Amino acid sequence: MKKYAIQILKAVFLGMSMVACSNERRDDVTFQSTTPNETSSVVATFSGAQPLDSLATATRTTATHVRGGIANVSWETTDKVWVKATDGQFHLSNAAQFHPVTPPATINMKQANFTLATGDYGFNPVVHYTGHNNPADRVTIAAAQSQAVPNDFSHLAQAGDCGSATAIGGGGDFHFTLNHKASYLCFVPRCTNVDLGPNIFLQKITLTANKPIAGTYDFTDGTLDGKLPLSASSNTITLTVNNFSLNTTTESLPTNAAYMVLAPGTYNFTISYTIKDPVTNVEGTIVKTVNSFRCAAGEIRDMRAHLVQGLIDVSGTYFMWDAADGQNYWLNHDRVGGKYPATLVLNGSRTGNWAATPDNRWYNTGYGYKVATNATRSARNQPNVNLMCHFPEFGSARWDGNKLWIIYGHLQKGGIWIKRRTALGAANKSTDYWGEDFTNNGSIDTYAPLVNHRSDFTGPLSRVLPTASELPYYFFLPASGYYLDGLTYDVGIGGHYWTSSGSSSNASNAYYIYFNDHAIHVRQYLRRIGSRIATFEN
């Protein structure tokens, strides 16, 4: 029988490390020669039993663990081991055999017998475990792994688990300690947005390293350390899971622990978590990185991830034009039974209780574009219409259809990267569009504010995203849509953002900037639209 005790220790960086000490990381099996009462087809029996040591558990091809505890690993009915005979050839045992434990009459999967029908094993034979369907001298770590149930490592053997040992003894009785030679990761993602968490699910985890982590390896000497694959080399492993819940604000192994086998080594990792919101049907990827991460043979380490950290949440940022501070479009009417209704995020849906008549959420009815302090409340810090016209002409807008963001407890994606005003190259960046101070002289009230300048741009917009060196000069605006008379429009399709400028020709209108994947423009429309208030970064 094989026993493999794994004691969890805290790691300094990125989660928990489950470390197997040398006197714990073993599989104990007794080899017994056949007796006159055994059939002639059995020449040796390998018998294993669960140790009484509370820090050790039986091992093999299925495993789970608890943070701060030990790994619970059990044999499976398909387990077999290779044993090296005195002629130098490895012989494969029969599959693991289990016996009822009474009382009660249950199967103890932590105790198994293995039999061999051929071979002379002499003294101190070598034992290899190479997973399922591998020869004694080859181990295949799969580049495509899958897990159906959270916190379940029953795919351990299929994914590439392996081990080796030298048995001690002779005369038909042997004892060996099997050392596990692959490395193992347990991913424990979480979502601290309590509105979003119940609505998103983990689809897969893609681990990419700066050198190979999967493939078929030579296992002649019973180790993987320092080796490159002989074939099917891959720097990437994809673990597909079955809609694991992300409705947890702290790490919870029973909720979504996902396990992966990889070759031992020290790596720079890029980790891509693919998540999906089935209501909005939005699927996207969140990427994390970690460098100089050590994956030792026989160790399992927890990889923690705060998945939505840094995602823009547009909830509660929609206002009629220059409504009173804090009086957003859906204030006190955005929840039903404590939850955001899906109609808030599904285009064409109507949600009740919008401000159909003047209340605290109503727009500013002040009239006149040329008033020095045009917007005085929620829109007062938005760019004025002159300044907003910088962005269509000089903003070098780039459409990003994959960047994720959050709206009223649901996942969405899409928006534009646009240059900061300080990077636009205007003649006088400290003032507005023509180098005039708007508060002293404002004069535009049309779509095209000045000859040779434009407030409209039709594309399509560039799909070439800012490079790493360009990114500090850009900021992102989600395609967060807008609301009109309670109806939802353009969520995930286009972005509608207020300026601080009302129209001097129509008291019901104000200026806004709008974009989608093929256009960006500054125009005026109804002040009663629920449009976003957002920071246009300098």
Side-chain angles (χ1 to χ4, degrees), residues 59 92 185 204 222 274 299 304 322 368 374 382 397 454 532:
T59 67
L92 183 62
L185 295 176
K204 63 182 178 181
T274 300
E299 289 186 2
R304 306 169 65 189
D322 203 32
N374 195 206
Q382 296 295 100
R454 63 186 182 188
R532 281 202 68 216

Side-chain angles (χ1 to χ4, degrees), residues 492-517:
I493 298 171
H496 194 286
Y497 295 77
W498 286 126
T499 74
S500 61
S501 301
S503 170
S504 62
S505 61
N506 188 332
S508 296
N509 285 2
Y511 284 94
Y512 66 91
I513 189 170
Y514 177 84
F515 62 82
N516 52 32
D517 66 349

Side-chain angles (χ1 to χ4, degrees), residues 13 50 75 97 118 132 145 149 157 169 172 208 238 304 318 352 369 437 466 472 492:
F13 183 62
Q50 166 65 24
W75 296 96
Q97 299 174 9
T118 59
H132 290 176
Q145 302 178 21
V149 180
T208 301
T238 300
R304 306 169 65 189
Y318 297 83
Y369 166 78
D437 185 345

